[in-house]
Amino acid sequence: NAGVTQTPKFQVLKTGQSMTLQCAQDMNHEYMSWYRQDPGMGLRLIHYSVGAGITDQGEVPNGYNVSRSTTEDFPLRLLSAAPSQTSVYFCASSYRLAGETQYFGPGTRLLVL
Amino acid sequence: LAKTTQPISMDSYEGQEVNITCSHNNIATNDYITWYQQFPSQGPRFIIQGYKTKVTNEVASLFIPADRKSSTLSLPRVSLSDTAVYYCLVVTGTASKLTFGTGTRLQVTL
């Protein structure tokens, strides 16, 4: 199993540009989530999904969209990038619930100029 | 969600036992305690989870007193590779969200 994979590893955007961060898992996990981590800080939940077709907002959802059309994939879309969205983004998955062991991807480092 | 408090940072020498304490005064009956480890430039990794008393695995031990208002993660004989940030989380089994604090930054030196 590849586990949780994220692409790209690193991305530079200009203010106002849009992009999609990809996240995929091959463990047949129902629960998937996106976090952002700013320097020296803990992780903050952006959006999560408890299964295909179901998504909900986390702590910091503004400026981000998600969809879950398949069990495997959970892309995160930045609609109009802003410098405040410069961060490291982690995708995670677990079998069914947030309280179960979360498996994290390697992260995407995003720089918005 | 129960709020957790843990030290911002700790230093240790290689070979020592390290104990990181987390306080969670308003933990609920159905909550349990989970610890994650995060190395630089990597996503967090699950270490250990427990509800009460003591839990031990190949990586660490978790001590939880009877009142469950605190917990202690114990890392035996740390090495340089244990340098990481350690997060204590209080989790409700049916929760749809996890809340990470700022964690404890452990620095291990020779």
Side-chain angles (χ1 to χ4, degrees), chain A residues 6-27:
Chain A
Q6 292 183 238
T7 57
K9 286 186 170 56
F10 180 71
Q11 182 72 46
V12 179
L13 290 179
K14 294 180 180 178
T15 296
Q17 287 184 316
S18 62
M19 80 160 294
T20 299
L21 281 63
Q22 302 292 344
C23 174
Q25 51 88 14
D26 61 359
M27 298 174 283

Side-chain angles (χ1 to χ4, degrees), chain A:
Chain A
N1 286 353
V4 179
T5 58
Q6 292 183 238
T7 57
K9 286 186 170 56
F10 180 71
Q11 182 72 46
V12 179
L13 290 179
K14 294 180 180 178
T15 296
Q17 287 184 316
S18 62
M19 80 160 294
T20 299
L21 281 63
Q22 302 292 344
C23 174
Q25 51 88 14
D26 61 359
M27 298 174 283
N28 203 31
H29 284 172
E30 293 292 333
Y31 185 89
M32 296 186 74
S33 56
W34 276 102
Y35 292 86
R36 62 176 287 176
Q37 185 172 35
D38 299 329
M41 304 293 287
L43 286 80
R44 291 186 293 169
L45 181 65
I46 305 172
H47 285 285
Y48 65 96
S49 168
V50 298
I54 307 169
T55 63
D56 206 344
Q57 297 181 348
E59 181 186 352
V60 288
N62 292 341
Y64 307 95
N65 271 359
V66 292
S67 60
R68 184 95 180 270
S69 56
T70 67
T71 299
E72 295 78 20
D73 301 297
F74 190 43
L76 177 72
R77 281 182 289 276
L78 278 70
L79 309 173
S80 177
S84 61
Q85 293 178 304
T86 293
S87 189
V88 180
Y89 292 84
F90 291 103
C91 178
S93 75
S94 62
Y95 181 55
R96 276 192 316 118
L97 299 170
E100 297 164 343
T101 299
Q102 293 291 319
Y103 295 85
F104 283 82
T108 293
R109 189 173 298 272
L110 178 67
L111 174 62
V112 183
L113 301 175

